[in-house]
Amino acid sequence: MKMAHITISSAKLEESVEFYRDIAGLVIKEDMRGRGPMNIVFMSDESGGTCVELIGDQDEPYSGEGVSIGFEVDDAEEYHDELWKRGMETTPMMKPAPGTAFFFVKDPNGLNVQFISRSR
């Protein structure tokens, strides 16, 4: 079974689209803003294997705790430095096991987003 997507209710839809485009490297797969009663944007990686559904909703913004989503990057330490230079608030780099490094940032909704690299 394949996961279809992760849904994030967002009180900051435009900021969320920019975050997942500019920081997570996703592209808009389907844009349903202004086409119905709800503003929805599906974003994915180029292959469509990673998919995030953003739902613009001022009344139901993301409020979950203890949930994070993770994106694999080639070099977490390098990406950590890049985001820090761009003014993003990042957690310290964590290295729980040899060859594994990761850190977190918060998306515009306060959701923890992890960037992780693993050497194989």
Side-chain angles (χ1 to χ4, degrees), residues 75-104:
D75 185 328
E77 292 182 82
E78 185 178 293
Y79 201 56
H80 181 268
D81 292 343
E82 180 182 328
L83 293 184
W84 183 257
K85 288 176 187 171
R86 290 171 64 177
M88 299 280 309
E89 288 188 37
T90 63
T91 64
M93 182 64 58
M94 294 169 238
K95 297 180 180 180
T100 300
F102 66 88
F103 66 96
F104 291 91

Short mmCIF file of all heavy atoms in Angstrom, two decimals, residues 75-104:
data_model
loop_
_atom_site.label_atom_id
_atom_site.label_comp_id
_atom_site.label_asym_id
_atom_site.label_seq_id
_atom_site.Cartn_x
_atom_site.Cartn_y
_atom_site.Cartn_z
N ASP A 75 22.69 16.06 2.02
CA ASP A 75 23.59 16.38 3.12
C ASP A 75 22.87 17.29 4.10
O ASP A 75 22.73 18.49 3.85
CB ASP A 75 24.85 17.05 2.56
CG ASP A 75 25.92 17.30 3.60
OD1 ASP A 75 25.57 17.55 4.78
OD2 ASP A 75 27.11 17.28 3.24
N ALA A 76 22.41 16.74 5.21
CA ALA A 76 21.63 17.51 6.18
C ALA A 76 22.44 18.65 6.77
O ALA A 76 21.91 19.74 6.99
CB ALA A 76 21.10 16.60 7.29
N GLU A 77 23.72 18.43 7.04
CA GLU A 77 24.54 19.50 7.63
C GLU A 77 24.67 20.67 6.67
O GLU A 77 24.54 21.83 7.07
CB GLU A 77 25.90 18.95 8.03
CG GLU A 77 25.81 17.98 9.20
CD GLU A 77 27.15 17.47 9.65
OE1 GLU A 77 27.81 18.20 10.40
OE2 GLU A 77 27.51 16.35 9.24
N GLU A 78 24.89 20.39 5.42
CA GLU A 78 25.00 21.44 4.41
C GLU A 78 23.66 22.18 4.26
O GLU A 78 23.63 23.41 4.18
CB GLU A 78 25.42 20.81 3.07
CG GLU A 78 25.68 21.80 1.97
CD GLU A 78 26.13 21.10 0.70
OE1 GLU A 78 27.24 20.53 0.72
OE2 GLU A 78 25.36 21.11 -0.28
N TYR A 79 22.56 21.44 4.25
CA TYR A 79 21.25 22.07 4.09
C TYR A 79 20.90 22.88 5.34
O TYR A 79 20.30 23.96 5.24
CB TYR A 79 20.17 21.04 3.78
CG TYR A 79 18.95 21.66 3.14
CD1 TYR A 79 19.08 22.41 1.97
CD2 TYR A 79 17.69 21.53 3.70
CE1 TYR A 79 17.98 23.01 1.39
CE2 TYR A 79 16.59 22.14 3.12
CZ TYR A 79 16.74 22.87 1.96
OH TYR A 79 15.65 23.49 1.39
N HIS A 80 21.29 22.40 6.50
CA HIS A 80 21.09 23.13 7.76
C HIS A 80 21.78 24.50 7.66
O HIS A 80 21.18 25.54 7.96
CB HIS A 80 21.68 22.31 8.91
CG HIS A 80 21.52 22.93 10.25
ND1 HIS A 80 22.48 23.75 10.80
CD2 HIS A 80 20.52 22.84 11.16
CE1 HIS A 80 22.08 24.14 12.00
NE2 HIS A 80 20.90 23.61 12.24
N ASP A 81 23.03 24.52 7.21
CA ASP A 81 23.77 25.77 7.06
C ASP A 81 23.11 26.69 6.05
O ASP A 81 23.01 27.90 6.27
CB ASP A 81 25.22 25.49 6.65
CG ASP A 81 26.03 24.79 7.73
OD1 ASP A 81 25.59 24.80 8.91
OD2 ASP A 81 27.09 24.24 7.41
N GLU A 82 22.64 26.12 4.94
CA GLU A 82 21.98 26.93 3.91
C GLU A 82 20.71 27.60 4.45
O GLU A 82 20.49 28.79 4.24
CB GLU A 82 21.63 26.05 2.70
CG GLU A 82 20.95 26.82 1.59
CD GLU A 82 20.56 25.93 0.42
OE1 GLU A 82 21.27 24.94 0.14
OE2 GLU A 82 19.53 26.24 -0.21
N LEU A 83 19.88 26.83 5.15
CA LEU A 83 18.64 27.40 5.69
C LEU A 83 18.94 28.43 6.77
O LEU A 83 18.26 29.46 6.88
CB LEU A 83 17.71 26.31 6.21
CG LEU A 83 17.13 25.37 5.15
CD1 LEU A 83 16.16 24.39 5.81
CD2 LEU A 83 16.46 26.13 4.03
N TRP A 84 19.96 28.18 7.59
CA TRP A 84 20.35 29.13 8.63
C TRP A 84 20.76 30.45 7.99
O TRP A 84 20.35 31.52 8.44
CB TRP A 84 21.48 28.53 9.45
CG TRP A 84 21.91 29.42 10.59
CD1 TRP A 84 23.01 30.21 10.63
CD2 TRP A 84 21.23 29.60 11.82
NE1 TRP A 84 23.05 30.88 11.83
CE2 TRP A 84 21.97 30.53 12.58
CE3 TRP A 84 20.07 29.08 12.38
CZ2 TRP A 84 21.59 30.93 13.85
CZ3 TRP A 84 19.70 29.48 13.65
CH2 TRP A 84 20.44 30.40 14.36
N LYS A 85 21.54 30.39 6.91
CA LYS A 85 21.97 31.60 6.20
C LYS A 85 20.79 32.34 5.57
O LYS A 85 20.85 33.55 5.40
CB LYS A 85 23.00 31.25 5.13
CG LYS A 85 24.35 30.85 5.69
CD LYS A 85 25.30 30.41 4.61
CE LYS A 85 26.58 29.86 5.23
NZ LYS A 85 27.46 29.24 4.24
N ARG A 86 19.73 31.60 5.25
CA ARG A 86 18.52 32.22 4.68
C ARG A 86 17.60 32.78 5.76
O ARG A 86 16.52 33.27 5.47
CB ARG A 86 17.77 31.19 3.83
CG ARG A 86 18.52 30.84 2.55
CD ARG A 86 17.93 29.68 1.82
NE ARG A 86 16.59 29.92 1.30
CZ ARG A 86 15.92 29.05 0.57
NH1 ARG A 86 16.49 27.90 0.25
NH2 ARG A 86 14.72 29.32 0.14
N GLY A 87 18.01 32.67 7.02
CA GLY A 87 17.25 33.24 8.11
C GLY A 87 16.21 32.32 8.73
O GLY A 87 15.40 32.77 9.54
N MET A 88 16.24 31.05 8.39
CA MET A 88 15.29 30.10 8.96
C MET A 88 15.75 29.72 10.37
O MET A 88 16.93 29.55 10.62
CB MET A 88 15.22 28.81 8.13
CG MET A 88 14.76 28.97 6.71
SD MET A 88 12.99 29.13 6.48
CE MET A 88 12.32 27.77 7.36
N GLU A 89 14.78 29.59 11.27
CA GLU A 89 15.10 29.09 12.61
C GLU A 89 15.13 27.57 12.53
O GLU A 89 14.14 26.94 12.20
CB GLU A 89 14.04 29.54 13.61
CG GLU A 89 14.12 31.00 13.94
CD GLU A 89 13.20 31.38 15.07
OE1 GLU A 89 13.04 30.59 16.03
OE2 GLU A 89 12.64 32.48 14.98
N THR A 90 16.28 27.01 12.82
CA THR A 90 16.45 25.56 12.76
C THR A 90 16.79 25.04 14.15
O THR A 90 17.30 25.77 14.99
CB THR A 90 17.60 25.18 11.81
OG1 THR A 90 18.82 25.72 12.33
CG2 THR A 90 17.37 25.73 10.40
N THR A 91 16.50 23.77 14.37
CA THR A 91 16.98 23.14 15.60
C THR A 91 18.46 22.84 15.40
O THR A 91 18.97 22.86 14.27
CB THR A 91 16.24 21.81 15.88
OG1 THR A 91 16.54 20.88 14.82
CG2 THR A 91 14.75 22.03 16.03
N PRO A 92 19.16 22.53 16.47
CA PRO A 92 20.54 22.07 16.31
C PRO A 92 20.57 20.77 15.50
O PRO A 92 19.59 20.02 15.46
CB PRO A 92 21.01 21.83 17.75
CG PRO A 92 20.11 22.66 18.60
CD PRO A 92 18.79 22.67 17.88
N MET A 93 21.70 20.52 14.87
CA MET A 93 21.89 19.28 14.12
C MET A 93 21.91 18.11 15.09
O MET A 93 22.54 18.19 16.16
CB MET A 93 23.22 19.35 13.36
CG MET A 93 23.52 18.15 12.50
SD MET A 93 22.35 17.89 11.15
CE MET A 93 22.47 19.42 10.27
N MET A 94 21.21 17.04 14.76
CA MET A 94 21.18 15.84 15.59
C MET A 94 21.79 14.68 14.80
O MET A 94 21.55 14.55 13.61
CB MET A 94 19.75 15.53 15.99
CG MET A 94 19.15 16.58 16.89
SD MET A 94 17.38 16.38 17.12
CE MET A 94 16.83 17.98 16.52
N LYS A 95 22.57 13.87 15.50
CA LYS A 95 23.25 12.72 14.88
C LYS A 95 23.03 11.51 15.78
O LYS A 95 23.90 11.17 16.58
CB LYS A 95 24.73 13.01 14.69
CG LYS A 95 24.98 14.18 13.75
CD LYS A 95 26.46 14.43 13.59
CE LYS A 95 26.69 15.59 12.65
NZ LYS A 95 28.11 15.87 12.46
N PRO A 96 21.88 10.83 15.65
CA PRO A 96 21.56 9.73 16.55
C PRO A 96 22.33 8.44 16.30
O PRO A 96 22.38 7.58 17.17
CB PRO A 96 20.07 9.52 16.31
CG PRO A 96 19.87 9.94 14.89
CD PRO A 96 20.82 11.09 14.69
N ALA A 97 22.91 8.31 15.12
CA ALA A 97 23.65 7.10 14.77
C ALA A 97 24.68 7.46 13.70
O ALA A 97 24.49 8.44 12.97
CB ALA A 97 22.70 6.03 14.23
N PRO A 98 25.74 6.68 13.60
CA PRO A 98 26.72 6.97 12.55
C PRO A 98 26.06 7.02 11.17
O PRO A 98 25.25 6.16 10.83
CB PRO A 98 27.70 5.79 12.65
CG PRO A 98 27.55 5.30 14.06
CD PRO A 98 26.11 5.52 14.41
N GLY A 99 26.37 8.07 10.42
CA GLY A 99 25.84 8.20 9.07
C GLY A 99 24.46 8.82 8.98
O GLY A 99 23.93 8.99 7.89
N THR A 100 23.85 9.16 10.11
CA THR A 100 22.51 9.77 10.11
C THR A 100 22.58 11.14 10.77
O THR A 100 23.13 11.27 11.86
CB THR A 100 21.50 8.89 10.88
OG1 THR A 100 21.43 7.62 10.25
CG2 THR A 100 20.11 9.52 10.88
N ALA A 101 22.06 12.14 10.07
CA ALA A 101 22.02 13.50 10.61
C ALA A 101 20.69 14.13 10.21
O ALA A 101 20.20 13.90 9.11
CB ALA A 101 23.18 14.32 10.07
N PHE A 102 20.13 14.91 11.15
CA PHE A 102 18.89 15.59 10.82
C PHE A 102 18.69 16.82 11.69
O PHE A 102 19.35 17.00 12.71
CB PHE A 102 17.68 14.66 10.92
CG PHE A 102 17.37 14.18 12.31
CD1 PHE A 102 16.54 14.91 13.16
CD2 PHE A 102 17.91 12.99 12.79
CE1 PHE A 102 16.25 14.47 14.43
CE2 PHE A 102 17.62 12.54 14.06
CZ PHE A 102 16.79 13.28 14.89
N PHE A 103 17.73 17.66 11.25
CA PHE A 103 17.32 18.83 12.00
C PHE A 103 15.88 19.14 11.63
O PHE A 103 15.33 18.56 10.69
CB PHE A 103 18.24 20.03 11.71
CG PHE A 103 18.14 20.53 10.29
CD1 PHE A 103 17.31 21.59 9.96
CD2 PHE A 103 18.88 19.94 9.28
CE1 PHE A 103 17.21 22.05 8.65
CE2 PHE A 103 18.79 20.38 7.97
CZ PHE A 103 17.96 21.44 7.66
N PHE A 104 15.28 20.05 12.37
CA PHE A 104 13.90 20.44 12.12
C PHE A 104 13.79 21.94 11.90
O PHE A 104 14.58 22.72 12.44
CB PHE A 104 13.00 20.11 13.33
CG PHE A 104 12.79 18.64 13.56
CD1 PHE A 104 13.65 17.93 14.39
CD2 PHE A 104 11.74 17.97 12.97
CE1 PHE A 104 13.45 16.58 14.62
CE2 PHE A 104 11.53 16.62 13.19
CZ PHE A 104 12.40 15.92 14.02
#
